[in-house]
């Protein structure tokens, strides 16, 4: 069994049982307990499981505003960021756009500009926004999150891994000197995969999220090429972005 298949089976087990044990899964899959621990570490880093003594459980969900709630907050700032980010896209480019209230604004701006491009996305609103215009849209498969109108999970990551694109446009729950981070379960893994498969990575984030940390770390600032914001970062975040040679664009 391939690593990706084994990890998908682990996630399936957690849908059927509240807790799974390392020793039981090692015996079932015919692998060492260390192999299962590495699987657990990877799935935990992606926010897909919660580690527990001797095993793992499904992730616990604290309160985090839904996509609809976030879409109605700081609208002016996010619209400005989305418009400026859309201007970076050149005709004919290939893109990955992840789910989020600010990336939806970017999709709306791209649709308004009529920029011909190819877009892969895990977001239904992004796909629907761009699907009737000049863009060719490819929608990822995966596990559907109703509150986010998006898909995540092993199938989403495997699908994204088949493509190489010119640029990705991603959002984040928070941005600190350590890099962007995410609160929605499974989103961090999608963002990491999009960054890996893109020649350039652009982060869209409003200043309310500066100097904060989400549940799951996405990656170092050095993984980003550009950050589009509504207000220039200051202090330690400004210095960290400069040291990482990240271009900051203020909308």
């Amino acid at each position: 069994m391939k690593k990706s298949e084994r990890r998908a089976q682990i996630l399936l087990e957690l849908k059927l049982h509240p807790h799974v044990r390392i020793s039981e899964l090692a015996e079932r899959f015919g692998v060492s307990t260390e192999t299962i621990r590495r699987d657990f570490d990877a799935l935990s880093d992606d926010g897909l499981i919660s580690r527990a003594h001797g095993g793992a459980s499904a992730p616990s969900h604290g309160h985090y505003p839904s996509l609809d709630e976030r879409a109605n907050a700081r609208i002016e700032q996010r619209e400005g960021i989305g418009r400026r980010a859309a201007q970076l896209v050149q005709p004919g480019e290939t893109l990955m756009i992840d789910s989020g209230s600010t990336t939806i604004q970017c999709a709306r701006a791209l649709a308004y500009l009529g920029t011909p491009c190819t877009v892969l996305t895990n977001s239904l609103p992004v796909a629907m926004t761009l699907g009737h215009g000049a863009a060719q849209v490819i929608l990822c498969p995966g596990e559907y999150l109703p509150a986010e109108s998006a898909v995540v999970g092993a199938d989403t990551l495997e699908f994204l891994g088949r493509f190489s694109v010119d640029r990705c446009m991603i959002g984040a729950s928070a941005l600190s000197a350590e890099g962007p981070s995410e609160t929605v379960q499974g989103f961090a893994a999608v963002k990491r995969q999009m960054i890996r498969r893109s020649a350039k990575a652009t982060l869209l984030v409003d200043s309310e999220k500066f100097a904060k940390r989400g549940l799951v770390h996405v990656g170092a600032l050095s993984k980003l090429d550009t950050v589009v914001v509504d207000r220039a970062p200051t202090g330690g975040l400004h210095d960290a972005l400069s040291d990482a040679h990240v271009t900051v664009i203020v909308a």
Side-chain angles (χ1 to χ4, degrees):
M1 181 181 292
K2 295 180 181 179
K3 177 172 62 178
S4 59
E5 295 173 346
R6 187 175 61 249
R7 292 177 182 177
Q9 285 294 315
I10 291 172
L11 294 176
L12 179 60
E13 283 295 313
L14 283 170
K15 290 182 179 179
L16 303 174
H17 307 286
H19 181 81
V20 294
R21 297 191 61 80
I22 290 174
S23 57
E24 293 173 354
L25 291 178
E27 182 177 354
R28 176 179 302 180
F29 296 136
V31 297
S32 68
T33 55
E34 286 302 315
T35 295
I36 299 299
R37 285 193 180 92
R38 286 193 293 271
D39 289 339
F40 280 8
D41 287 341
L43 293 170
S44 177
D45 287 344
D46 290 343
L48 299 175
I49 67 171
S50 294
R51 292 297 305 270
H53 181 68
S57 58
S60 57
H61 296 271
H63 175 72
Y64 181 71
S66 69
L67 179 64
D68 286 342
E69 290 175 298
R70 302 196 307 276
N72 291 316
R74 295 178 63 81
I75 295 175
E76 183 178 346
Q77 290 88 344
R78 288 185 292 96
E79 285 180 344
I81 293 169
R83 283 194 301 269
R84 186 64 185 89
Q87 292 169 4
L88 299 175
V89 180
Q90 300 302 307
E93 279 194 343
T94 52
L95 308 171
M96 290 182 179
I97 302 179
D98 84 326
S99 176
S101 55
T102 309
T103 51
I104 290 172
Q105 294 296 337
C106 178
R108 288 175 177 167
L110 279 173
Y112 177 79
L113 292 171
T115 306
C117 55
T118 300
V119 176
L120 287 92
T121 184
N122 67 321
S123 164
L124 270 67
V126 168
M128 293 170 66
T129 298
L130 290 168
H132 298 290
Q136 177 186 357
V137 179
I138 302 172
L139 185 61
C140 298
E143 179 182 348
Y144 183 58
L145 300 180
E148 298 298 325
S149 296
V151 294
V152 296
D155 290 338
T156 309
L157 301 179
E158 191 277 332
F159 184 79
L160 288 170
R162 302 177 193 174
F163 299 87
S164 296
V165 298
D166 297 314
R167 185 192 306 273
C168 68
M169 299 284 192
I170 63 171
S173 297
L175 179 65
S176 71
E178 295 178 356
S181 53
E182 186 52 65
T183 300
V184 178
Q185 300 289 352
F187 274 9
V190 171
K191 297 175 196 298
R192 286 194 207 109
Q193 186 73 310
M194 287 186 171
I195 291 172
R196 290 188 197 106
R197 306 307 302 170
S198 303
K200 294 181 180 180
T202 300
L203 175 69
L204 286 58
V205 62
D206 76 77
S207 56
E208 190 179 55
K209 300 174 181 178
F210 289 175
K212 295 181 180 179
R213 293 180 177 85
L215 176 65
V216 185
H217 186 228
V218 173
L221 291 176
S222 59
K223 300 292 185 181
L224 303 173
D225 296 279
T226 309
V227 175
V228 184
V229 296
D230 62 298
R231 177 170 55 83
T234 59
L237 179 56
H238 170 272
D239 295 343
L241 288 164
S242 178
D243 290 344
H245 305 290
V246 178
T247 299
V248 176
I249 298 176
V250 179

